Amino acid sequence: MFLVGLSGGIASGKSTVVAVLRELGCAVIDADVIAREVVQLHFKAYRQIVHYFGTEILFENGEINREALGNIIFSHPEKRQLLNSITHPEIQKEMLKQILKYFMLGYRYVILDIPLLFETNRLTKFMKYTVLVYCDPPTQLSRLMKRNGLSQAEAEARIASQLPLDEKRKLASHVIDNSGDRESMRQQVLRLHARLEDSLDFLWARLAVGAVVAGLGGLVYLLLRHFIS
């Protein structure tokens, strides 16, 4: 089994691509979903966040007010770094658990949906391939303005806060251009899926695991025959 990193940019259409991949039966691990889960009540990261940032970031029901926390870390880079040091290890542990689950289920590859894959650049070394969901800048701006009801200036400011898609494009091993219609995007995803399914990467590891399982099965069979006889 090998890992495929998937990323995009704001309003580039990554969620639509992920939906198609799931329809194809691909194993997709969503880092954003995990990030929300690990800061829920009773989790280790939740307790640490409340300890360092105080109860003023909580709603009345005790849940973390993500907007309030976001306002703090937006204007204080050192606090953003502190928050990342709390949440990232927990996120990575949960991702590893899910990767192992899919490995045991026999998946050929697992897609890790990580929004800041290219910005942080810490996880790319674990990926056999990296995929960028791209769209051209005018389309990205138009989609964001329409989707979020933003002015042009507001949308441009949000886009500028991320690494430009043209820069990410240089870092990715595969690019899905989502500037056009849905069917064009879908055909690109189908071709990528077929290419990944046909990949022989890490075949030796799969064969080794198969040999070990077969060997253990043979050993169990011989032991059963011995005790039965």
Side-chain angles (χ1 to χ4, degrees):
M1 189 185 78
F2 56 91
L3 303 179
V4 179
L6 176 70
S7 194
I10 188 169
S12 71
K14 179 171 63 66
S15 297
T16 308
V17 170
V18 168
V20 175
L21 289 166
R22 292 189 190 276
E23 287 174 11
L24 294 169
C26 297
V28 181
I29 298 174
D30 190 328
D32 263 353
V33 171
I34 294 174
R36 290 192 290 271
E37 289 175 348
V38 300
V39 297
Q40 290 179 356
L41 276 74
H42 311 305
F43 281 79
K44 177 183 176 182
Y46 172 89
R47 294 192 296 270
Q48 290 181 313
I49 291 170
V50 174
H51 174 75
Y52 286 107
F53 290 89
T55 56
E56 60 268 22
I57 63 162
L58 301 179
F59 287 117
E60 290 184 4
N61 63 2
E63 293 181 357
I64 291 175
N65 182 335
R66 295 170 66 88
E67 183 178 354
L69 183 58
N71 290 336
I72 293 173
I73 65 173
F74 182 77
S75 55
H76 298 88
E78 73 282 359
K79 292 188 177 182
R80 182 187 302 114
Q81 187 174 1
L82 172 60
L83 179 64
N84 289 341
S85 72
I86 293 171
T87 58
H88 285 183
E90 301 304 311
I91 293 170
Q92 290 167 16
K93 280 194 289 187
E94 182 56 35
M95 289 175 73
L96 180 58
K97 289 179 186 177
Q98 295 191 26
I99 290 169
L100 291 173
K101 177 188 74 175
Y102 287 122
F103 174 77
M104 297 302 293
L105 290 173
Y107 280 79
R108 181 178 292 272
Y109 65 93
V110 173
I111 298 169
L112 301 181
D113 178 0
I114 306 174
L116 299 180
L117 177 66
F118 297 108
E119 282 85 347
T120 58
N121 204 33
R122 289 183 295 105
L123 296 177
T124 52
K125 59 177 178 275
F126 300 111
M127 310 297 165
K128 182 63 182 177
Y129 302 110
T130 53
V131 180
L132 174 70
V133 180
Y134 174 87
C135 70
D136 60 72
T139 300
Q140 183 183 25
L141 180 63
S142 174
R143 285 177 179 171
L144 182 58
M145 290 172 64
K146 183 178 179 180
R147 188 188 74 183
N148 290 33
L150 302 175
S151 67
Q152 182 172 334
E154 291 170 330
E156 287 175 341
R158 293 205 182 185
I159 292 172
S161 69
Q162 298 183 341
L163 187 67
L165 284 172
D166 284 320
E167 290 298 315
K168 294 181 183 182
R169 189 171 192 164
K170 300 173 185 176
L171 302 173
S173 56
H174 298 280
V175 175
I176 295 174
D177 191 337
N178 195 26
S179 304
D181 58 34
R182 182 183 176 88
E183 184 56 28
S184 172
M185 174 275 294
R186 182 178 175 81
Q187 290 302 317
Q188 293 177 69
V189 175
L190 291 174
R191 288 194 293 271
L192 174 65
H193 174 61
R195 185 171 180 179
L196 294 174
E197 282 292 317
D198 291 339
S199 174
L200 294 178
D201 289 306
F202 303 118
L203 178 61
W204 62 269
R206 296 173 68 86
L207 292 173
V209 171
V212 170
V213 171
L216 289 173
L219 179 60
V220 170
Y221 174 73
L222 290 174
L223 288 172
L224 287 173
R225 285 195 60 183
H226 172 74
F227 285 114
I228 290 174
S229 59

